[in-house]
Amino acid sequence: MTESLLLKPAAPAQLPTGARRFTGRTALLARLCALDGGEVAMLTGPAGIGKTSLAVHWARRAAGEFPDGQLFVNLRGFDHVAQPVEPADALRSFLAALGVPARRIPAGLDERAALYRTEMADRRAVVVLDNATVATQVRPLLPAARNCVTVVTSRNQLTGLIVREAARPIPVPPLTIAEAAQFLGGYRPVIEQCGGLPLALSLVAARTGEPEPPGRGGDPHAGARGVFAWTHRALTPPAAGIFRLLGRHPAHDLTATTVAGLAGLTVGQAAVILAELARAGLLIEFVPGRYLCHDLLHTYAAELAARYH
Ligand SMILES: Nc1ncnc2c1ncn2[C@@H]1O[C@H](COP(=O)(O)OP(=O)(O)OP(=O)(O)O)[C@@H](O)[C@H]1O
Ligand SMILES: [Mg+2]
C-alpha cells in the first residue's frame, strides 16, 4: 500500500439513522436504484410525506455501491426558526468531511465549489441534499462527478434543476392504504384519519395496542392534528411540558445538555424526557444522543406553547 493510500482519511459516512420501521415505497426505491452515476434525483412533496426517510433509507441501503463516501446535509430550507443553510457553509462541512484541512478550505463560494468538485471527481459517492428551497442553494453542492449520485429533497419543485441539470423529479405521494396497514401491522380505522401521512402514522405506530385517537375523517391535516393532540395528551406531565417548551426553540440538533439548560433540569432528567419524546414519535434521534423535531410537530408544539401561557 502506498503512503498516500495509508494517509487517506476514512470515507465520510454522514447519513442519519433511517425511519424506525421503513415501509413500502417499492416503486420509488426502484427508481432511485436505477439512477446512473452523475445523475440527480429530486424528491418532492409536502411536509411529513416521507421524502427524507425515503432518501436516507435508499442511500443507507445503497451505501455499499458508494464506498468513497455518503454525504448528507440538512439545508433547512423550511425551518420556521432557523435560516436556510448557505451553500458556502454546507461546502465547508463537506470539504472538512472529505479530509481537507481547515487551512486549505478557500474563503469564496466559487473556490470552495471548485475544490469540492475536484475532491469528488474520482469518488464513488452519494450526496443527499435535504430540505432545499431553491436551485441556487443546491447547485454549488452538486458533485458533477460521473460516479456520484445526488438526491435532493424539497417541498418545492426546483424547476431550474430539472431544466439545467436534468434532475429527475420524483414526487413522493402519501402511503397507500395497503402500505399504511403494513406499517401499523394490520388495517385500523385510524389509517383513513392519517390520510397516508407517514408522520402521523408513526405516532400511531408508537402506541400499538392502545385505544385509537378520536376520528376527524376527511381532511388529512385536521386528522393528523387529532393524532398529534392524542399523543401529547398521553405524555407524562414533564415530557409534555418539555415538548411545549421546544416549540419556542430551534428544533434541530437537540441534546440532553441543551434541553437541560433550556428547562432548568439535570442532564440526566433531560435525557430521560428526550427518550420518552422519541419513543412517542415526537422527536427523532437522528444520531445517538442528538434529536430533532419534525417541522409539523414543532409548529404544533409552538401552538400548544402559546395556548398554555
Ligand atoms: N416509508 C416510511 N415508513 C415508515 N415510516 C416513515 C416512512 N416515511 C416516513 N416515515 C416516518 O414519517 C416521518 C416523517 O417523514 P419525513 O421526515 O421523511 O418527511 P419529509 O417529507 O422529509 O418532511 P419535511 O418536508 O417536513 O422534511 C419520519 O420521521 C418517519 O418516522
Ligand atoms: Mg424532510
Side-chain angles (χ1 to χ4, degrees), residues 21-38:
R21 294 207 328 253
F22 187 86
T23 309
R25 305 300 199 193
T26 317
L28 298 181
L29 286 167
R31 286 184 69 183
L32 290 170
C33 288
L35 292 168
D36 287 325

Side-chain angles (χ1 to χ4, degrees), residues 1-11 67-68 122-123:
M1 209 186 277
T2 66
E3 196 183 348
S4 68
L5 273 178
L6 280 172
L7 290 175
K8 202 172 150 188
D68 302 319
D122 296 322
R123 288 180 187 253

Side-chain angles (χ1 to χ4, degrees), residues 263-304:
L265 298 173
T266 66
V267 173
Q269 289 167 330
V272 169
I273 288 177
L274 285 173
E276 178 180 340
L277 293 173
R279 261 196 320 278
L282 294 172
L283 293 181
I284 301 163
E285 190 172 13
F286 62 99
V287 295
R290 289 166 61 190
Y291 297 82
L292 62 83
C293 183
H294 192 275
D295 201 41
L296 287 180
L297 291 167
H298 192 236
T299 307
Y300 180 66
E303 284 171 25
L304 288 176

Side-chain angles (χ1 to χ4, degrees), residues 39-60:
E39 285 195 310
V40 179
M42 189 175 64
L43 302 179
T44 53
I49 206 78
K51 303 176 294 295
T52 304
S53 302
L54 175 62
V56 168
H57 181 79
W58 170 77
R60 291 185 76 93

Side-chain angles (χ1 to χ4, degrees), residues 75-137:
L75 294 170
R76 287 195 213 128
F78 303 91
D79 199 307
H80 61 274
V81 181
Q83 289 297 311
V85 171
E86 292 292 335
D89 293 332
L91 281 169
R92 189 193 324 99
S93 64
F94 276 176
L95 288 168
L98 292 165
V100 178
R103 66 189 147 73
R104 277 195 50 222
I105 298 179
L109 172 65
D110 291 346
E111 292 74 16
R112 277 186 194 175
L115 180 57
Y116 169 67
R117 288 194 294 272
T118 309
E119 287 289 329
M120 294 295 272
D122 296 322
R123 288 180 187 253
R124 283 199 290 156
V126 59
V127 181
V128 178
L129 305 174
D130 196 26
N131 291 317
T133 35
V134 286
T136 47
Q137 191 189 25

Side-chain angles (χ1 to χ4, degrees), residues 2 15 36 44 48-49 61 93 127 129 148 150 156 162 200 205 216 221 224 227 248 259 263 268 275 292:
T2 66
L15 295 171
D36 287 325
T44 53
I49 206 78
R61 244 183 36 176
S93 64
V127 181
L129 305 174
C148 292
T150 307
N156 300 334
I162 302 175
R216 195 83 71 80
H221 278 105
V227 175
R248 300 186 187 280
V259 170
L292 62 83

